[in-house]
């Protein structure tokens, strides 16, 4: 977008800032360089940013994955999606291994 697309009050008000707000939120969720996340995103935050697959059940794992990286490693949909996909896959593997160990031990 160039400046001409937002050079009046009406044009600025018409912009969809949902994704911008979500990215700002996710940027603060990525580690601040000392391992501390500044905010905790919700499922709605990820959805607004275009990241799919995040649910209440895997939100903590996804937030942990996002908080573990520098902000520059989580500043695009593709990067955050890859982090989310990895966290979701690890959760599924963990659940499967837990199920297998209960079946074999019983």
């Amino acid at each position: 977008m160039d400046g001409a697309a937002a050079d009046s009050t009406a044009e600025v008000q018409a912009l969809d800032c949902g994704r911008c707000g979500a990215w700002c939120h996710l940027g603060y969720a990525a580690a601040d360089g000392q391992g501390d996340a500044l905010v905790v995103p919700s499922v709605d935050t990820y959805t607004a940013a275009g990241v799919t697959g995040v649910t209440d059940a895997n939100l903590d794992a996804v937030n942990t994955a996002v908080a573990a990286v520098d902000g520059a490693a989580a500043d695009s949909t593709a990067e955050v999606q890859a982090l989310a996909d990895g966290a979701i896959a690890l959760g599924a593997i963990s659940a499967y291994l837990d199920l297998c160990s209960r079946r074999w031990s019983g």
Side-chain angles (χ1 to χ4, degrees):
M1 169 176 41
D2 62 19
D7 59 0
S8 72
T9 302
E11 289 173 337
V12 170
Q13 289 174 339
L15 293 174
D16 175 13
C17 291
R19 184 168 285 201
C20 299
W23 277 112
C24 180
H25 198 76
L26 286 172
Y28 284 119
D32 64 1
Q34 295 162 10
D36 299 321
L38 302 175
V39 297
V40 179
S42 67
V43 172
D44 291 338
T45 305
Y46 289 102
T47 301
V51 177
T52 61
V54 181
T55 65
D56 289 332
N58 61 31
L59 179 61
D60 287 343
V62 174
N63 281 341
T64 298
V66 171
V69 299
D70 181 89
D75 62 359
S76 73
T77 300
E79 289 172 341
V80 175
Q81 186 68 63
L83 292 167
D85 290 347
I88 293 165
L90 286 174
I93 291 167
S94 177
Y96 176 76
L97 292 174
D98 183 55
L99 177 65
C100 288
S101 69
R102 284 185 283 152
R103 284 187 177 170
W104 285 99
S105 65

